[in-house]
Amino acid sequence: MSLVTDAILEKLNSLIVVVNPKGDVEYVSPSAKRILGFEPEQLVGDGWWNLTRDNVEDRQSIKALTLQQMKQEALLETAPQERLLKTANGSERWILWNTSKGPLNTLVGIGHDITDRKKAELKLLEKNTELIQHNKDMLDSIQYASRIQEAILPDVQQIKNVFKDAFVFYQPKDVVSGDYYFFYQRGNKAFVVAVDCTGHGVPGALMSFIANGALKEVIIRKGIENPADILYALDDELYLALNKSKDGVVSIDGMDVAVGVFDFETQTFSYAGAFRPVLVVRDNELIELEASRYPIGFYADVKKVFTTQTIEVKQDDTFYFFTDGYCDQFGGEQKKKFNRKQFKELLLSAQDMEMDEQEAYLQYVLLNWRQDEPQVDDVLVMGIKF
């Protein structure tokens, strides 16, 4: 070729290789010196096959493929092929080849140096592999945390054995939940607590572990029975648990709690709530026991007031403890929240059902309301028939 053509070919980031029908390389562009480190003259003949590949089988298979392509009358259109070539200094370069028929039944290969791109792809693949493994490890850890969380939750059958009938509709937004329920029986009294912790997922689940420990400390170990006193003690326990730092920063984590104590001897129900009410259905009428407007946690410098309300219990009274996940779920034609009013109407409409049927009905209504909308929060509804 002319000096001008050679000068242009030398500066290209591509290789041009011409192979004759015998499988000998007749021409290698001057760019081979810059890309592979070989003089073009070294690569003619069998030099191309022998110098750019270490593996004998690789040399033979590539040469055989080249000869097979030249035997075709019309070279079928093939996808570009990525090949790894050895350079003169022992390093490697990735070349993307396109082949076509040349004059006198030769085969012309044009190879583009894609080494930088390939390295970036391999690095990205490595990062993706690491990310996938990290994600798997994290999900495995969360699944394990879920099993631990399930282990600290009371057995629903235990609640059913104590009362006439009961259900617990518990549906975490993620694998683990920030909603938590507690049950304990001592003598003629049964303690039922519904807790809605700050956040959901892993942060909420960690708070639920703290809630579990605090409730056991207050109700089981300290033996506190008055619902309002339980809330005061919970507030103190949570403050101590979350504010051990020496930097003086006060934690803003907290929880909404409904505490109910059933006294089977006096046939009464005592209740106190921190932002979480309890609903009572009696003779197809709904009574709301309102909560104090203070959460457990937060507002460490505010004097909180929790009040115990006590009512006499009648046969077939049904009590509902719940967090805000059900009422806050978006859905319906307007994509609005389900809201508290509609939730109360739903409970009233289910009073002719057994408690297991009520649980299934609540699940169905929520799913039908959501449709394709994502679940926005953890869901907990407990129904207890006295």
Side-chain angles (χ1 to χ4, degrees):
M1 295 194 179
S2 69
L3 292 175
V4 174
T5 303
D6 284 350
I8 294 173
L9 293 175
E10 187 176 2
K11 294 184 181 299
L12 289 177
N13 197 35
S14 301
L15 292 167
I16 299 176
V17 178
V18 179
V19 184
N20 66 27
K22 295 180 180 180
D24 297 327
V25 174
E26 291 186 343
Y27 174 79
V28 177
S29 61
S31 55
K33 174 66 176 176
R34 182 169 50 80
I35 296 175
L36 300 177
F38 295 109
E39 297 292 343
E41 293 78 12
Q42 293 178 268
L43 300 176
V44 297
D46 283 334
W48 175 260
W49 314 112
N50 296 332
L51 295 177
T52 61
R53 291 171 177 83
D54 280 331
N55 188 286
V56 175
E57 292 182 0
D58 190 24
R59 296 171 188 167
Q60 293 175 347
S61 64
I62 293 298
K63 188 173 183 178
L65 177 63
T66 302
L67 291 171
Q68 183 181 358
Q69 287 180 316
M70 282 192 289
K71 289 178 182 178
Q72 300 173 8
E73 291 186 7
L75 184 63
L76 298 176
E77 184 176 344
T78 58
Q81 299 291 317
E82 295 178 357
R83 303 293 183 192
L84 193 60
L85 300 184
K86 187 186 73 172
T87 67
N89 63 9
S91 62
E92 295 176 326
R93 306 295 292 181
W94 281 98
I95 307 298
L96 180 66
W97 291 100
N98 289 276
T99 55
S100 60
K101 280 291 188 70
L104 302 176
N105 205 29
T106 57
L107 192 69
V108 178
I110 301 177
H112 302 283
D113 187 357
I114 59 168
T115 304
D116 291 341
R117 189 190 81 188
K118 196 69 178 178
K119 286 180 178 179
E121 289 176 359
L122 293 173
K123 188 174 182 180
L124 180 61
L125 179 61
E126 181 181 350
K127 290 293 184 183
N128 285 341
T129 302
E130 291 177 1
L131 184 61
I132 290 171
Q133 184 60 46
H134 177 72
N135 189 51
K136 180 181 181 301
D137 293 342
M138 183 176 64
L139 289 176
D140 288 345
S141 297
I142 294 174
Q143 289 288 355
Y144 186 66
S146 175
R147 291 194 292 272
I148 296 175
Q149 188 174 48
E150 288 176 5
I152 69 173
L153 290 172
D155 184 358
V156 178
Q157 189 59 48
Q158 182 185 7
I159 304 174
K160 292 181 178 181
N161 291 340
V162 172
F163 296 97
K164 180 177 179 179
D165 201 358
F167 74 81
V168 177
F169 176 25
Y170 177 70
Q171 184 172 295
K173 175 184 183 295
D174 303 305
V175 181
V176 288
S177 174
D179 285 0
Y180 168 75
Y181 59 96
F182 177 87
F183 177 78
Y184 179 68
Q185 185 179 16
R186 180 170 53 233
N188 62 342
K189 293 182 178 180
F191 300 80
V192 179
V193 183
V195 181
D196 188 350
C197 298
T198 304
H200 45 73
V202 174
L206 291 174
M207 285 293 294
S208 76
F209 292 134
I210 295 174
N212 178 63
L215 284 165
K216 286 185 174 180
E217 177 67 24
V218 170
I219 295 175
I220 299 176
R221 296 188 182 91
K222 293 183 178 179
I224 300 175
E225 296 187 346
N226 182 280
D229 292 341
I230 290 173
L231 290 179
Y232 284 122
L234 275 178
D235 202 38
D236 292 339
E237 289 291 329
L238 186 63
Y239 182 83
L240 291 174
L242 296 179
N243 293 284
K244 296 178 180 178
S245 172
K246 297 180 181 179
D247 58 11
V249 178
V250 177
S251 171
I252 59 171
D253 295 303
M255 56 187 72
D256 299 338
V257 184
V259 179
V261 180
F262 293 87
D263 190 322
F264 296 100
E265 183 177 344
T266 62
Q267 297 287 293
T268 58
F269 172 73
S270 298
Y271 155 82
F275 265 122
R276 290 256 52 84
V278 164
L279 302 177
V280 185
V281 176
R282 174 181 294 172
D283 299 329
N284 287 317
E285 291 188 3
L286 190 142
I287 304 166
E288 180 172 353
L289 302 180
E290 296 184 355
S292 299
R293 305 297 292 176
Y294 302 98
I296 300 301
F298 300 102
Y299 315 137
D301 56 342
V302 174
K303 182 175 177 57
K304 301 175 184 178
V305 178
F306 299 115
T307 305
T308 296
Q309 305 173 54
T310 303
I311 63 172
E312 292 184 1
V313 179
K314 294 185 178 180
Q315 185 174 349
D316 291 334
D317 279 356
T318 307
F319 298 80
Y320 295 96
F321 296 73
F322 60 99
T323 58
D324 55 11
Y326 202 109
C327 301
D328 286 349
Q329 179 59 53
F330 287 95
E333 294 182 0
Q334 305 284 325
K335 305 300 180 186
K336 294 182 177 180
K337 288 185 179 182
F338 194 82
N339 72 50
R340 187 80 61 85
K341 180 176 180 293
Q342 196 169 202
F343 180 65
K344 292 177 181 178
E345 293 172 352
L346 175 64
L347 295 179
L348 282 173
S349 70
Q351 290 310 298
D352 291 335
M353 304 178 186
E354 298 295 329
M355 300 305 275
D356 286 344
E357 294 175 329
Q358 288 192 29
E359 179 185 1
Y361 182 53
L362 287 173
Q363 289 178 320
Y364 167 76
V365 171
L366 184 64
L367 186 62
N368 189 59
W369 175 260
R370 276 181 53 195
Q371 295 294 331
D372 296 330
E373 291 294 307
Q375 184 173 334
V376 298
D377 199 359
D378 302 315
V379 173
L380 170 63
V381 182
M382 302 173 65
I384 293 174
K385 181 164 286 191
F386 194 78

